[in-house]
Amino acid sequence: MRITKHGLVVAAIAFAACSETTNPTSRDAGALSGSFSRASAAQTAAGAVYLMSNVAGPNEVIVYQRGPDGSLTYDANVPTGGYGTGGGLGNQEGVVRSANGRWLLVVNAGTDDVSVFAIEPGGLRLTDVASSGGDRPVSVALHGDLVYVLNAGSPNSISGLRLGTDGSLTPLAGSTRPLSAASTAPAQIGFTPHGDVLVVTEKATNTITTYVLDADDLPAAPQSYASAGQTPFGFAFNQRGDLIVSEAFGGAVDAS
């Protein structure tokens, strides 16, 4: 699928769907009693992988050190300042890092807000927690300083914020828009490569919904397109600007 302001061309490629939301194992849960306010300095040397606990209580970013050989070692649990829901979110991109590597954004589905962390040599530093502009945020997208959040509560919606140079989040007035219906089981929100269109996958409607952004970064009315397969889930763009969408086919064995 190639998306422009004037329309899109559809192509189908299917992959298995996945989510970065996780619950720590009992071994990791033991480390929670000694949870850190920051990840250790070691994780920034060779890189890090960030997950989200989404536990029924204080939500946390789970940080793993990434070794030069790609191996992962548990590092720390860092509180987000919000709460999780205690279950799977059926989502993609609930945790995103900025292109310049300075910021980490995390959704808090239990408290309807979004957390921002500065990624520093000493680890993660919480800089702000702001309303998602709706109910039960499950996915967040970042392009430059523009942030859009996907809310899976009733009614489904998207809403925008502005990321400040100090790591603060400011609501973007007039940016909230509905999805194709009030309850679509949405999975992911993301920007096209140029940042002028937003894309949302809707699992329950087998639909991909798009929003053209105006000069003020406000979305036009939603335009919906039938997915090439059932249960469109996560997606990404290739170097040609084609939209590659995973289709879960309701979780049927060997169907996705």
Side-chain angles (χ1 to χ4, degrees):
M1 178 178 290
R2 178 167 295 160
I3 296 181
T4 68
K5 286 192 175 184
H6 306 292
L8 47 85
V9 178
V10 177
I13 299 180
F15 298 102
C18 63
S19 171
E20 66 281 274
T21 304
T22 184
N23 288 312
T25 64
S26 57
R27 179 175 64 83
D28 286 336
L32 283 171
S33 61
S35 60
F36 299 84
S37 60
R38 300 174 123 198
S40 73
Q43 60 92 359
T44 61
V49 172
Y50 304 103
L51 308 177
M52 178 177 63
S53 68
N54 194 45
V55 295
N59 195 16
E60 294 177 307
V61 176
I62 305 170
V63 184
Y64 287 84
Q65 297 175 23
R66 188 183 69 221
D69 61 351
S71 62
L72 299 178
T73 303
Y74 170 77
D75 184 19
N77 286 63
V78 184
T80 67
Y83 277 58
T85 62
L89 296 178
N91 70 326
Q92 187 75 16
E93 302 285 30
V95 178
V96 297
R97 193 191 72 164
S98 62
N100 62 11
R102 290 186 58 195
W103 309 107
L104 189 75
L105 277 70
V106 184
V107 298
N108 299 304
T111 44
D112 304 334
D113 47 38
V114 180
S115 299
V116 184
F117 292 89
I119 302 174
E120 300 179 336
L124 297 178
R125 177 174 59 87
L126 183 65
T127 60
D128 200 6
V129 181
S131 171
S132 70
D135 179 40
R136 202 165 69 88
V138 296
S139 182
V140 60
L142 175 63
H143 189 276
D145 65 349
L146 183 60
V147 177
Y148 266 89
V149 186
L150 175 61
N151 294 295
S154 184
N156 296 170
S157 68
I158 65 168
S159 194
L161 305 102
R162 193 75 69 180
L163 176 63
T165 57
D166 59 351
S168 61
L169 283 174
T170 304
L172 189 59
S175 63
T176 302
R177 297 288 184 275
L179 269 60
S180 70
S183 183
T184 69
Q188 180 181 346
I189 188 170
F191 287 94
T192 53
H194 294 295
D196 55 356
V197 180
L198 285 165
V199 181
V200 173
T201 45
E202 300 179 0
K203 303 191 299 289
T205 59
N206 299 324
T207 295
I208 298 169
T209 296
T210 66
Y211 305 80
V212 175
L213 300 179
D214 64 17
D216 296 317
D217 295 323
L218 300 179
Q223 300 184 45
S224 295
Y225 305 85
S227 173
Q230 297 177 32
T231 323
F233 200 99
F235 62 84
F237 288 89
N238 66 14
Q239 292 182 344
R240 298 189 307 170
D242 297 320
L243 178 62
I244 313 300
V245 183
S246 63
E247 293 160 342
F249 280 79
V253 177
D254 296 329
S256 59

